[in-house]
Amino acid sequence: MIFQGLKLVYHMKTNKKFLYPLVLPLFWITVLSAQNKMEVDYVNPLIGTPSSGFMEGRDGGGTMPCVGTPFAMTNFVAQTRENKISEMPYFYEDNTIQGFMATHQPTVWMGDYGYVSVMPQVGKLKLLPKDRALPFTHNEEISKPNYYSVSMGDKGQKIKGEIAAASRCGIFQFTFPKSDESHIIIQGINITENKKAFHGYIRIDENKREITGYNPERMSSHLGPELKNFKGYFIIQFDKSFERFGTWNSFRTEPDINEMGREQTGARMGGYISFKTEKNEKVKVKIATSFISLEQARENLSKEIPHWDFDKVVENTGDIWQENLSRIKVDGATEDQKSIFYTALFHTMLFPREFSEYGRYYSPFDDKVHEGVSYNDYSLWDTFRALHPLLHFTHPERVSPMVQSLLQMYQEGGWLPKWPNPTYTNIMTGTHADAVIADAYVKGFRDYDLDLAYEAIRKNAMHPPYRDTEKAWGDRDEGTLYEARGGLTYYHSLGYVASDKTRESVTRTVEFGIDDYSIAQMAKDMGKMEDYERLMGWSKNYKNLYNKETGFLNARLYNGNWDKNEQEGFTEGGRWTYLFGAMHDIQGSIELFGGKEKFAAKLNENFDGQHYRHDNEPGHHYAYLFNYAGQPWKTQELIRKHTSTINYRNHPLGINGNDDCGQMSAWYVFGVMGFYPVTPGTEIFAIGAPQFPEFTLRLLKDGAPKSFKIIANNLSETNKYIQSLTLDGKVVEEPFITYTQIMNGNVLEFEMGNSPNPTAFKNN
């Protein structure tokens, strides 16, 4: 088939357009197109947006096709439903658009806060979300990190909606049909049911063509302390004059067009503006957000989008994404593989989100405004495993500020958070800020108060929470008491968390040990040897739950007896899920099982019996444990299997399990590169097996740029086994590599073959 005509090429960097004739076979068109692609062009933000995974019983990715810069404070997204905890603003299965939203919901299991939305409309004014919804199809939808568009409505009355954005501000462009009744509806707050009363506010200024207001709602407010000063402030500006305007609320959904229609308060309310439009007339809407004040929102807008040039915002944000995504270059992969890889890399660059606003930030931990840099929405139970270690390579400039942000939360609230959303929430187990901070410290990231950092993580390890023995705790306990390490009293006195005193006792015992080990490494380096010895002793407490009769970690009662329920005491899993959970003491686990052969046999039983669940985080390091048991080829087989289309696909239905703010994606990025951070608080990475022929990492060492290349010679579908491995020409004799070796090295070169090679690593 021959395509004839003209092709217009737009170059993002040079801002130039080229027109040239094309009379080429489709094969060569495809080849040329691939050659001209930049890394940002491979990202498909629709991957992971369905509500379910592609295997029975698996969750969807919990992602959304958001637009904005990396780690943006506010995400701008098309809204297909009324979001809440357990429902994202956008689900791929939906077929209507209800609004264009400025949201702060990080993932499906967490709540939104301080949001606002707008929605274009023609014809009779309809205000409530389901009434104003317009149909759309994915055939008329484009999603990129720096741009989104969708065509909505019925034939003859279609409206095109487009999104571009920076970090704290966004710009929408709506293309209307010819109509005497065109509208834009604003929803300032949308509470249909909530345990706390929140009332938002908006004010319409027709002379300035502007709507200002705030939304104080926090969907997770029932899980943490009250914040009297919390507000999501917004300024909405229009490039078109209003002919009519008004306000509405859930009790009066007919428009208010009198003088009082300029202002509105309530728990479900908003405003609207109306005007006439010509065919294909574009109306632009800018939204500035802030957690500090309306004045700060205005300053954010002046710094990020001071103009009305929609295309310029698209280009600028695209350039930023291109620079960030090209920090890892992939060669030799298929087009589908590149799309999967760069979409995964995109998902690792969304959280934790920026929370400061040009030198100042509102703290949801003391309800005050401070000077400094801040991040928020840390999914620490998930992301301490792979996301934060990946950021050490891809975003070293953000690592110390992210640690500093956690320390600010400690200073302002009294404890390091477990899952800030945006304040304490009592969600998940363990205090994995400990592992994140200690891991950064061990790898040389120290641009923060080191003594304060140690004080903060030491408190988690040494001090039980208030009323520890009076509460059973448990994930998502409501109230203002912060859990920290619930059950720590028993962990210290008994050597384990007792199942008849504290819920999720086995998981807590294992995870407290991971964090204790991480803190111990920092203590040792700082010369705090008494703490080191004590912490290392506690880190072995998981062994007290090993039941020789069952061969599993089982829950124990306060009196020392085994809990009769062998599945008791686990968080998001069962006894198989946590059997190899002590990632900090793998040698101790091997000894517990009776040696390497028995340990490997149990690992095989875990994988062969389909007990491994890649769609959740506790077992993400399990495939790499064969390296420690003298069978690294098993690791190589499993990495090939689980980085394949079994779990990751170039399709909206493309993440088999919740991405959890980038952890699932970070696992994939490490997996295909060929190494993985099994144990936090150490420099050691376990070798897996590269899945593409070549990677080039753009790194920073001592502030200077350098590159690190990963090469896989003879890699193919059958050649998945490592035959030998060298670093800068020197043989790597163990299936491990260190952070220092990577930062000091230049080329990690794999020779691949079609059969396992037990002698690939001499010291195995």
Side-chain angles (χ1 to χ4, degrees):
M1 181 177 180
I2 300 294
F3 173 83
Q4 299 186 43
L6 295 173
K7 182 174 179 65
L8 185 67
V9 175
Y10 177 79
H11 194 275
M12 187 181 296
K13 290 281 186 185
T14 61
N15 199 26
K16 293 179 181 178
K17 295 177 180 176
F18 303 92
L19 196 65
Y20 60 88
L22 277 179
V23 185
L24 294 169
L26 276 180
F27 168 77
W28 287 110
I29 293 172
T30 303
V31 170
L32 288 172
S33 175
Q35 289 176 343
N36 291 329
K37 271 189 176 183
M38 296 185 293
E39 283 74 15
V40 67
D41 299 322
Y42 285 102
V43 177
N44 178 6
L46 292 174
I47 291 177
T49 58
S51 60
S52 299
F54 45 81
M55 289 175 64
E56 187 177 352
R58 302 295 196 263
D59 293 321
T63 64
M64 58 183 166
C66 55
V67 178
T69 50
F71 307 98
M73 186 180 88
T74 302
N75 298 128
F76 294 87
V77 66
Q79 184 180 9
T80 64
R81 61 175 62 189
E82 298 176 63
N83 61 315
K84 58 185 179 181
I85 297 176
S86 77
E87 293 192 20
M88 296 297 284
Y90 181 103
F91 272 126
Y92 190 79
E93 295 92 337
D94 294 339
N95 56 17
T96 62
I97 302 288
Q98 297 182 353
F100 290 76
M101 192 174 199
T103 176
H104 302 103
Q105 184 169 3
T107 185
V108 67
W109 305 117
M110 306 304 293
D112 204 349
Y113 53 90
Y115 54 85
V116 65
S117 70
V118 302
M119 180 65 185
Q121 188 181 99
V122 294
K124 183 181 178 181
L125 191 61
K126 298 176 182 178
L127 300 167
L128 293 179
K130 290 183 179 178
D131 296 335
R132 65 179 185 245
L134 295 176
F136 81 103
T137 68
H138 296 297
N139 293 332
E140 298 182 289
E141 181 181 43
I142 298 172
S143 179
K144 301 177 181 179
N146 59 321
Y147 174 77
Y148 175 89
S149 73
V150 64
S151 197
M152 308 166 287
D154 300 318
K155 287 184 178 180
Q157 293 291 298
K158 288 214 168 191
I159 302 173
K160 183 179 181 180
E162 299 170 276
I163 306 174
S167 176
R168 302 157 189 86
C169 305
I171 182 168
F172 302 144
Q173 183 169 265
F174 300 121
T175 304
F176 283 87
K178 181 177 177 59
S179 174
D180 291 337
E181 291 186 276
S182 292
H183 321 280
I184 294 178
I185 294 93
I186 298 89
Q187 180 129 18
I189 188 169
N190 187 41
I191 299 178
T192 55
E193 52 183 68
N194 199 292
K195 296 178 181 178
K196 293 188 178 182
F198 293 104
H199 287 86
Y201 168 79
I202 67 164
R203 185 179 187 280
I204 302 175
D205 188 329
E206 71 274 27
N207 295 320
K208 290 184 177 180
R209 298 190 300 201
E210 183 177 89
I211 296 176
T212 56
Y214 58 77
N215 177 0
E217 188 190 9
R218 294 179 292 117
M219 293 179 181
S220 297
S221 63
H222 58 293
L223 300 175
E226 182 180 0
L227 299 175
K228 293 181 180 180
N229 295 322
F230 173 83
K231 293 182 178 68
Y233 294 96
F234 54 83
I235 296 175
I236 306 174
Q237 295 180 344
F238 306 84
D239 72 342
K240 186 176 179 66
S241 298
F242 315 162
E243 294 183 12
R244 298 183 309 281
F245 62 89
T247 64
W248 59 274
N249 64 34
S250 57
F251 303 105
R252 190 191 69 253
T253 55
E254 289 301 314
D256 186 342
I257 57 175
N258 58 30
E259 185 67 21
M260 296 299 291
R262 283 189 171 85
E263 292 186 276
Q264 184 65 256
T265 60
R268 196 182 204 207
M269 62 85 198
Y272 70 92
I273 63 170
S274 300
F275 40 78
K276 295 178 182 178
T277 52
E278 298 299 324
K279 183 179 180 181
N280 294 328
E281 181 177 351
K282 290 179 170 61
V283 178
K284 296 174 184 176
V285 182
K286 292 195 290 190
I287 297 184
T289 67
S290 173
F291 295 111
I292 296 174
S293 65
L294 287 173
E295 292 74 21
Q296 184 65 50
R298 200 173 298 280
E299 181 179 340
N300 295 346
L301 191 61
S302 71
K303 291 181 182 300
E304 294 187 355
I305 312 180
H307 50 75
W308 288 98
D309 190 337
F310 181 89
D311 293 337
K312 185 176 181 179
V313 180
V314 173
E315 181 183 352
N316 288 345
T317 299
D319 287 345
I320 293 170
W321 273 112
Q322 174 58 23
E323 191 281 321
N324 280 259
L325 291 163
S326 64
R327 295 181 182 189
I328 302 180
K329 293 268 191 181
V330 173
D331 287 311
T334 67
E335 294 296 283
D336 269 354
Q337 287 172 331
K338 286 183 179 180
S339 187
I340 294 167
F341 180 85
Y342 284 110
T343 302
L345 199 57
F346 162 74
H347 284 145
T348 70
M349 299 180 186
L350 299 177
F351 301 101
R353 74 167 76 251
E354 294 174 347
F355 212 70
S356 48
E357 306 172 46
Y358 301 101
R360 296 197 301 160
Y361 66 94
Y362 163 80
S363 170
F365 293 86
D366 67 359
D367 211 20
K368 297 176 182 178
V369 175
H370 301 265
E371 292 185 359
V373 173
S374 181
Y375 288 81
N376 209 307
D377 282 321
Y378 293 72
S379 183
L380 292 164
W381 187 81
D382 309 291
T383 57
F384 86 92
R385 306 167 197 271
L387 175 69
H388 285 280
L390 181 64
L391 297 180
H392 297 165
F393 296 114
T394 61
H395 290 84
E397 75 278 11
R398 293 183 184 264
V399 174
S400 286
M402 286 180 179
V403 170
Q404 177 62 31
S405 298
L406 291 169
L407 299 182
Q408 288 162 183
M409 296 172 189
Y410 167 72
Q411 288 179 300
E412 293 149 8
W415 294 91
L416 289 166
K418 293 195 302 179
W419 215 129
N421 181 235
T423 187
Y424 299 118
T425 60
N426 285 335
I427 286 179
M428 304 311 296
T429 52
T431 52
H432 299 310
D434 307 338
V436 169
I437 293 170
D439 199 46
Y441 175 89
V442 166
K443 289 169 182 165
F445 296 94
R446 302 183 183 183
D447 191 14
Y448 46 87
D449 187 329
L450 301 182
D451 290 333
L452 180 66
Y454 186 74
E455 174 190 312
I457 61 180
R458 185 183 189 276
K459 181 177 180 179
N460 281 337
M462 302 290 184
H463 294 271
Y466 178 60
R467 293 175 56 190
D468 188 30
T469 60
E470 299 175 34
K471 289 178 63 67
W473 301 109
D475 187 21
R476 290 167 175 79
D477 260 5
E478 296 187 14
T480 58
L481 280 180
Y482 179 56
E483 177 184 316
R485 293 196 196 179
L488 188 65
T489 303
Y490 306 110
Y491 177 82
H492 285 164
S493 61
L494 302 175
Y496 59 90
V497 179
S499 62
D500 52 340
K501 299 294 184 180
T502 308
R503 294 195 290 271
E504 304 169 291
S505 60
V506 179
T507 296
R508 290 173 188 274
T509 303
V510 173
E511 293 189 351
F512 293 177
I514 295 169
D515 294 325
D516 282 346
Y517 176 88
S518 301
I519 300 167
Q521 309 316 301
M522 190 169 172
K524 184 178 182 180
D525 190 78
M526 297 177 79
K528 303 177 186 298
M529 296 308 297
E530 185 178 340
D531 280 359
Y532 171 77
E533 297 295 342
R534 187 183 302 178
L535 289 160
M536 287 299 289
W538 287 335
S539 74
K540 306 293 198 303
N541 279 354
Y542 75 95
K543 292 185 176 183
N544 296 325
L545 296 183
Y546 182 69
N547 187 338
K548 292 182 179 180
E549 292 186 8
T550 65
F552 289 92
L553 300 180
N554 290 143
R556 290 180 74 175
L557 306 174
Y558 180 75
N559 65 10
N561 294 335
W562 294 110
D563 196 303
K564 293 180 180 179
N565 182 359
E566 293 183 7
Q567 295 290 355
E568 173 61 38
F570 301 102
T571 300
E572 296 190 8
R575 61 182 190 169
W576 278 105
T577 312
Y578 286 91
L579 180 57
F580 312 99
M583 60 179 68
H584 61 292
D585 187 30
I586 299 167
Q587 188 57 44
S589 295
I590 290 172
E591 293 169 1
L592 205 60
F593 280 88
K596 288 184 178 181
E597 288 188 9
K598 290 183 178 180
F599 183 77
K602 200 70 173 181
L603 273 173
N604 278 321
E605 188 181 350
N606 173 62
F607 284 100
D608 294 344
Q610 307 297 314
H611 302 297
Y612 173 68
R613 290 288 299 263
H614 186 70
D615 61 320
N616 208 2
E617 282 69 25
H620 270 188
H621 62 287
Y622 285 10
Y624 292 90
L625 296 181
F626 284 102
N627 281 340
Y628 302 79
Q631 300 180 20
W633 59 90
K634 293 284 185 66
T635 291
Q636 296 153 30
E637 291 173 357
L638 287 165
I639 297 309
R640 168 62 62 87
K641 176 180 179 180
H642 288 286
T643 55
S644 74
T645 54
I646 290 177
N647 292 309
Y648 302 91
R649 300 177 184 178
N650 183 21
H651 187 274
L653 200 62
I655 301 177
N656 206 22
N658 196 286
D659 194 55
D660 284 314
C661 295
Q663 166 59 26
M664 196 76 70
S665 292
W667 186 95
Y668 175 83
V669 171
F670 273 123
V672 295
M673 288 197 302
F675 59 99
Y676 186 81
V678 172
T679 304
T682 73
E683 284 201 276
I684 299 171
F685 293 87
I687 295 295
Q691 302 303 308
F692 308 147
E694 189 170 308
F695 297 86
T696 303
L697 280 64
R698 289 170 44 216
L699 306 175
L700 279 179
K701 182 188 176 187
D702 300 325
K706 66 153 292 183
S707 66
F708 183 77
K709 197 175 287 288
I710 302 167
I711 298 173
N713 295 319
N714 302 314
L715 179 68
S716 69
E717 189 66 30
T718 55
N719 291 358
K720 60 186 175 183
Y721 296 102
I722 299 172
Q723 305 303 301
S724 66
L725 177 62
T726 60
L727 177 62
D728 294 335
K730 184 177 179 180
V731 173
V732 176
E733 297 186 343
E734 297 179 308
F736 304 99
I737 190 171
T738 68
Y739 178 79
T740 295
Q741 285 178 308
I742 293 171
M743 296 306 296
N744 291 338
N746 297 298
V747 180
L748 185 66
E749 191 162 4
F750 294 79
E751 294 294 334
M752 308 300 292
N754 62 9
S755 61
N757 183 2
T759 63
F761 299 101
K762 295 178 182 178
N763 298 338
N764 191 34

